[in-house]
Amino acid sequence: MRIGISIGDVRGPASPADLVAQVRTAAELGYDTVWSSQAFGWDALTSLAVAGTLVPGIPLGTAVVPVPQRHPLVLASQALSVQAATGNRLTLGVGAGVAMMVTSMYGLPADRPAARMREYLTVLGPLLRGESVAHEGELITASGQVAVPGAEPPEVLVAALGPAMLRVAGELAGGTVTWMTGPRTLAAHIVPAITRAAESAGRPAPRVVAGLPVCVTDDEAGVRERIAEQFGLAGRVPEYRAVLDREGVAGPQDVAVVGDEKGVARQLARLADAGVTDYLASPFGTAEEQERTVRAVAALI
């Protein structure tokens, strides 16, 4: 199981210098990938371009970019720009977005997310390959081409939790990215469903990138209480509530990877046993807690 690490907003407010420092530390410690999430601050792709151009070598990924507010022509241009700027190190993770946010913040429709994602990917794929598209579909219209010299098409992953989206991810993408999804659900639901879909489409075995907060600490109970406070909203959002219910837990605090060095190692081994190909470590806590966590998790790579 590869181990990557998140950078930027999910770990707290970050300046450009902070982003570069986080990526440089990850590269020096041997992390397999650095991942940037789209939240309410840094643009995920821009943050990778900023830091990735200054830190060579380490693979980069988005986990994830919501697509409702980015037309396929726009996203293809952004992704290929990052590819050209960073020497083609990008994995492009995309998602349908949290429905409540898509409708309330952007005034966009959030119904039929799997159907929208399927159509979106049928347009995005050719654009990433530099091909011209002329698509007038039920949900998307796109006409044009994107050409960025030196850019190769990135691998695309799809945030998928439910059966319909997992079929889309398995059939049309290189795998999935999950968030707040525990090992029981990964082993019994996520991995089997997306693997069946990929096999039926004649595609290679999919990547399964499992993102979870992590904190190496001697105060497990206290940290889990803080995670419950910070990520409590996820426990009430239908998309995440569904996988938490599958796991049989109350909230994000119960699936987070928390404990001392040996406890965290055991929890990561359980993810690997579940069929996870990539663990996305999202360090949680104070600067001191994150420092201990970053180095302890790196020791497991």
Side-chain angles (χ1 to χ4, degrees):
M1 182 177 72
R2 292 180 291 265
I3 299 179
I5 190 168
S6 63
I7 64 167
D9 295 332
V10 72
R11 294 172 58 175
S15 68
D18 293 331
L19 290 175
V20 174
Q22 289 173 3
V23 175
R24 183 167 286 122
T25 296
E28 291 172 350
L29 292 176
Y31 279 90
D32 294 296
T33 314
V34 293
W35 299 92
S36 182
S37 301
Q38 188 68 45
F40 302 112
W42 275 94
D43 174 74
L45 285 160
T46 303
S47 68
L48 294 177
V50 167
T53 54
L54 296 176
V55 184
I58 188 168
L60 314 167
T62 58
V64 293
V65 175
V67 300
Q69 59 268 40
R70 301 198 197 204
H71 189 275
L73 280 160
V74 173
L75 182 56
S77 176
Q78 292 174 317
L80 292 175
S81 297
V82 174
Q83 281 288 71
T86 62
N88 295 304
R89 290 184 278 148
L90 176 68
T91 295
L92 180 61
V94 300
V98 174
M100 178 182 65
M101 295 171 61
V102 171
T103 56
S104 64
M105 293 180 64
Y106 298 101
L108 296 170
D111 61 317
R112 303 173 61 195
R116 290 180 185 277
M117 181 61 74
R118 182 177 292 277
E119 190 171 343
Y120 192 100
L121 292 175
T122 63
V123 176
L124 181 66
L127 290 171
L128 291 174
R129 295 191 295 270
E131 301 170 10
S132 178
V133 301
H135 179 88
E136 293 187 16
E138 181 183 2
L139 302 168
I140 295 173
T141 296
S143 179
Q145 185 177 15
V146 176
V148 179
E152 299 174 1
E155 181 179 37
V156 177
L157 307 177
V158 175
L161 299 175
M165 195 68 80
L166 285 164
R167 283 194 297 272
V168 172
E171 293 171 5
L172 297 178
T176 187
V177 181
T178 68
W179 179 242
M180 295 299 183
T181 304
R184 185 181 301 116
T185 302
L186 287 159
H189 169 57
I190 301 291
V191 173
I194 194 172
T195 301
R196 284 194 301 269
E199 290 175 348
S200 69
R203 296 180 63 91
R207 289 176 70 180
V208 176
V209 181
L212 289 167
V214 58
C215 185
V216 177
T217 178
D218 298 318
D219 180 22
E220 179 176 346
V223 168
R224 290 193 186 277
E225 184 176 344
R226 281 188 279 146
I227 290 174
E229 294 173 358
Q230 181 166 328
F231 293 102
L233 179 61
R236 299 190 294 273
V237 171
E239 291 90 340
Y240 295 123
R241 187 66 259 167
V243 289
L244 292 170
D245 287 343
R246 279 184 181 270
E247 193 74 12
V249 298
Q253 69 275 11
D254 300 313
V255 294
V257 178
V258 183
D260 62 14
E261 283 79 358
K262 290 183 178 179
V264 165
R266 287 193 298 269
Q267 291 169 69
L268 295 193
R270 190 178 178 196
L271 291 176
D273 291 342
V276 170
T277 63
D278 300 69
Y279 169 54
L280 195 177
S282 182
F284 175 85
T286 64
E288 292 76 16
E289 287 171 325
Q290 289 196 31
E291 173 72 14
R292 177 181 176 184
T293 298
V294 167
R295 295 189 176 279
V297 173
L300 302 174
I301 297 172

